[in-house]
Amino acid sequence: MTKPIILTIDDEPQVLNAVERDLRQHYRGDYRIIKAGSGAEALETIQRLKQRNVPVALLLADQRMPSMSGTEFLAEARQFYPEARKVLLTAYADTQAAITSINTIGLDHYLMKPWNPPEQNLYPVLDDLLSDWLATVPIPYDGIRVAGTLWSASCHNVKDFLARSQIPHQWLDIEKDEEARALVEAVNKDQHRLPVIFFPDGSTLINPDTKILAEKVGLRTQATQPFYELIIIGAGPAGLAAAVYGASEGLHTILIDKETTGGQAGTSSRIENYLGFPNGLSGADLARRATAQAARLGAEILTAQEVTRVRVEDPFRFVTLSDGTELSCKALLIATGVSVRELKVPGIEAITGAGVYYGAALTEAAHYQGEHFYVVGGANSAGQGAMFFSRYAGKVTMLVRASSLKKGMSQYLVDQIEETPNIEVMTRTEVIEVHGQDRLEAITIKNNDTGESCTKPTPAMFIFVGAVPHTDLVADVVERNHSGFIITGPDLIRRGRRPKNWRLKRDPYLLETSVPGIFAAGDVRHNVVRRVASAVGQGSMAVSFVHQYLETV
Ligand SMILES: Cc1cc2nc3c(=O)[nH]c(=O)nc-3n(C[C@H](O)[C@H](O)[C@H](O)COP(=O)(O)OP(=O)(O)OC[C@H]3O[C@@H](n4cnc5c(N)ncnc54)[C@H](O)[C@@H]3O)c2cc1C
């Protein structure tokens, strides 16, 4: 661990060097001694140390400095390190100022100059203060820290990305933590942009774009080659399974995701129906295991890279990434899944991410401890969300349009919900308006049987209302149904005829699209069972069709 700091400040070089020498002699084994020639220089050092979360144990400042006195410096430094012990070096005439500082800035001690011999006049005092500091100081967190407000959508996105990428980090709420607020203001220089992300190496990022953040935390965002045998777009369960099978069966494989690995499954609090995990497992755990497995078997994995376009120039298939890079391959698998449908009601857009969340938003739930919040939707994902949130909430109300939960939810979840005392289910009910300026304050709900509506105060609403496929990237390339889902295999044969422009003498394989060599797997397909196991099964099957296709090109 980094040694805690003792910082000494004096504008007179001889005095500064003498203090530093004496401090080093006695404390250098356990502490790092730093010196500064002015209050301003010392404050800059303090801010730098705080950005890296290096612990500061003791500040030893001369009272008589021309531009900033010792007490003025200590008052400023206290904002960043309230726990650090504060000592003033004084001349006889400064005694009164020092005594006043005990009350005003919580000065711990003042030392008269000269302090010789240090064994008698310096070390005993500082030993005492340092042992006191050691006994009370919290262990500093030496990982990534994200500072912002609970109500900011950009803060939510950053936390969500880090959590889903399994990057450990600490959340600092600047509305509750004064040290964090001072640090953010020092870095932000009046720009008021959030979140500010502090890295252990002392660097910071302010509300970065996902790709920059991904690169900074060590995730790969650039392909190592221009050409692959198999490119997989989308790293949800289908894409991850295809990457595992493709790489393990010797295909030169790359897996690309616009966010991070795990897909929708990665946001699930508990997947209980996936084969082989009798106690269930969290989506994050499944994503972590599958990502490690795919990487170990040799698949290259890019995150924070959206595929914006797909084009065909036989025998190759090309994908364009959001940064303009083009990669080519022999076989392409689209596993881009779906995302939750947006709820279109007045007032919702401005506060999405600030009390209104789509999907599980698991990282947010803990912030609403003891509150009454709402889950919109009646399918399995809504049920799982409600079960998870019920651990934190005082009460969870599910708003369901259907007349019964049984219409859209697995029976095991219906049973769990019925047995959970703090979950209430309101059927035939929908949200018609959302209220709040910069955060959610209330929602208006309507009963569709009686037509009655009422407004309920709440700080949080989690929405799970259906799916939209991510298929714009292949809009003009492969056949899709009226809702945008990709049509594959036998569904492409109509009245015994193969798809338009299909020139091969065989029918499309089961998971093949209307373009030979472009396959689709998982939720993005038309007429499919939207489940983790189903996506995993399709991802692995797709690879066997890829092999068959590659034998012919
Ligand atoms: C909250 C929740 C809970 C669930 N719980 C369960 C459960 O308990 N059991 C169960 O069986 N199923 C569950 N499901 C459903 C299950 O998660 C999905 O069926 C499954 O994740 C589908 O996998 P997929 O790989 O097809 O797509 P997705 O999981 O949707 O993954 C698609 C991936 O593609 C990426 N992508 C999209 N467009 C692009 C692009 N242009 N470029 C690059 N990348 C792109 C996305 O970022 C995403 O990571 C749940 C779903 C949700 C939302």
Side-chain angles (χ1 to χ4, degrees):
M1 203 184 103
T2 331
K3 282 184 191 173
I5 303 291
I6 296 178
L7 175 61
T8 180
I9 309 106
D10 205 310
D11 65 315
E12 287 178 54
Q14 296 98 319
V15 182
L16 185 61
N17 290 340
V19 185
E20 188 201 14
R21 180 201 59 215
D22 287 347
L23 290 173
R24 275 191 200 284
Q25 201 166 347
H26 195 68
Y27 295 109
R28 69 168 167 239
D30 298 323
Y31 295 89
R32 191 148 71 89
I33 319 297
I34 301 184
K35 63 180 176 178
S38 69
E41 183 190 336
L43 271 182
E44 265 177 36
T45 308
I46 285 279
Q47 284 175 16
R48 263 203 322 274
L49 292 169
K50 189 69 192 179
Q51 280 174 28
R52 288 164 45 209
N53 219 15
V54 177
V56 172
L58 182 83
L59 301 165
L60 180 56
D62 194 341
Q63 169 63 359
R64 294 207 169 188
M65 294 187 289
S67 49
M68 185 188 279
S69 72
T71 40
E72 284 166 347
F73 162 74
L74 291 172
E76 290 281 324
R78 192 164 70 141
Q79 293 181 62
F80 298 97
Y81 284 102
E83 309 286 340
R85 296 301 178 254
K86 293 174 278 302
V87 177
L88 208 55
L89 270 183
T90 56
Y92 188 71
D94 301 325
T95 312
Q96 192 49 49
I99 292 171
T100 311
S101 306
I102 295 175
N103 288 334
T104 53
I105 60 164
L107 187 73
D108 292 291
H109 205 91
Y110 61 94
L111 284 167
M112 292 283 188
K113 288 190 279 190
W115 56 87
N116 283 331
E119 289 75 13
Q120 195 177 315
N121 294 328
L122 185 69
Y123 301 147
V125 171
L126 300 192
D127 282 351
D128 198 34
L129 290 175
L130 288 170
S131 74
D132 201 29
W133 177 81
L134 272 176
T136 54
V137 73
I139 297 169
Y141 182 81
D142 58 4
I144 297 168
R145 291 164 301 146
V146 181
T149 65
L150 196 52
W151 314 110
S152 140
S154 51
C155 293
H156 166 67
N157 292 342
V158 164
K159 281 188 288 173
D160 193 54
F161 178 78
L162 290 175
R164 289 176 51 208
S165 305
Q166 287 95 46
I167 306 289
H169 60 281
Q170 186 185 43
W171 166 242
L172 306 174
D173 186 341
I174 64 168
E175 288 185 349
K176 295 188 179 143
D177 181 339
E178 282 189 18
E179 281 177 61
R181 186 165 58 235
L183 189 58
V184 162
E185 280 168 7
V187 171
N188 236 327
K189 311 229 179 336
D190 296 332
Q191 289 182 67
H192 303 296
R193 286 169 57 216
L194 292 174
V196 179
I197 309 166
F198 299 96
F199 295 91
D201 63 2
S203 59
T204 52
L205 285 177
I206 304 178
N207 191 18
D209 134 323
T210 312
K211 183 161 167 279
I212 291 173
L213 179 60
E215 277 162 6
K216 179 72 188 171
V217 299
L219 299 172
R220 185 191 284 277
T221 62
Q222 301 295 333
T224 56
Q225 315 280 324
F227 173 77
Y228 294 82
E229 279 168 302
L230 172 61
I231 293 182
I232 303 162
I233 313 173
L240 281 163
V244 165
Y245 282 85
S248 70
E249 290 168 18
L251 294 177
H252 187 206
T253 303
I254 188 168
L255 174 65
I256 306 168
D257 201 287
K258 65 178 175 160
E259 292 169 7
T260 187
T261 58
Q264 297 164 74
T267 68
S268 169
S269 51
R270 195 127 210 101
I271 299 167
E272 307 226 27
N273 54 1
Y274 189 55
L275 187 72
F277 294 87
N279 298 326
L281 86 168
S282 72
D285 198 15
L286 181 68
R288 182 181 54 75
R289 287 162 184 266
T291 307
Q293 195 176 10
R296 182 179 71 79
L297 292 167
E300 205 173 303
I301 301 175
L302 302 193
T303 52
Q305 275 284 19
E306 179 168 4
V307 175
T308 53
R309 184 167 169 245
V310 168
R311 70 182 177 91
V312 177
E313 214 174 283
D314 274 326
F316 302 111
R317 278 88 191 93
F318 292 82
V319 300
T320 309
L321 307 184
S322 44
D323 66 1
T325 313
E326 199 172 56
L327 304 176
S328 62
C329 60
K330 284 188 179 161
L332 180 65
L333 176 64
I334 319 280
T336 44
V338 299
S339 50
V340 281
R341 190 178 295 283
E342 289 180 12
L343 192 64
K344 303 258 190 259
V345 294
I348 201 163
E349 246 170 57
I351 51 175
T352 296
V356 172
Y357 304 101
Y358 284 97
L362 304 179
T363 45
E364 304 300 338
H367 302 308
Y368 298 100
Q369 192 92 28
E371 305 270 9
H372 178 187
F373 48 82
Y374 288 77
V375 167
V376 183
N380 276 0
S381 51
Q384 286 171 350
M387 284 304 298
F388 178 79
F389 300 143
S390 69
R391 287 195 238 149
Y392 299 93
K395 182 174 172 186
V396 177
T397 299
M398 295 187 72
L399 303 174
V400 183
R401 277 221 296 222
S403 55
S404 143
L405 271 188
K406 290 187 180 152
K407 296 216 155 144
M409 198 177 285
S410 304
Q411 189 59 43
Y412 80 92
L413 264 174
V414 177
D415 294 343
Q416 285 180 4
I417 287 168
E418 278 171 1
E419 285 160 20
T420 307
N422 65 340
I423 301 185
E424 167 194 45
V425 180
M426 295 177 78
T427 52
R428 301 283 299 143
T429 306
E430 62 181 304
V431 180
I432 54 168
E433 194 172 351
V434 165
H435 311 271
Q437 283 291 307
D438 45 4
R439 68 180 74 170
L440 178 66
E441 284 162 15
I443 57 174
T444 301
I445 57 179
K446 180 176 160 209
N447 181 302
N448 286 332
D449 283 335
T450 62
E452 280 173 21
S453 60
C454 58
T455 299
K456 304 274 186 191
T458 183
M461 173 169 79
F462 296 86
I463 303 166
F464 304 81
V465 289
V468 185
H470 300 135
T471 55
D472 285 354
L473 72 165
V474 286
D476 309 323
V477 184
V478 303
E479 272 190 41
R480 303 182 299 162
N481 73 6
H482 62 280
S483 307
F485 289 90
I486 296 177
I487 304 176
T488 51
D491 289 337
L492 289 163
I493 310 288
R494 290 184 197 97
R495 288 191 221 99
R497 301 180 70 154
R498 293 176 182 145
K500 214 169 102 192
N501 299 331
W502 183 270
R503 296 205 185 93
L504 304 183
K505 290 200 180 110
R506 61 164 176 85
D507 288 349
Y509 295 127
L510 184 64
L511 300 177
E512 202 168 21
T513 67
S514 57
V515 176
I518 300 185
F519 299 83
D523 283 12
V524 76
R525 283 178 63 223
H526 159 70
N527 226 353
V528 79
V529 176
R530 295 215 285 269
R531 291 280 187 277
V532 176
S534 161
V536 167
Q538 293 170 54
S540 52
M541 272 163 67
V543 172
S544 72
F545 294 121
V546 166
H547 283 299
Q548 292 179 46
Y549 170 77
L550 290 179
E551 281 167 16
T552 65
V553 284

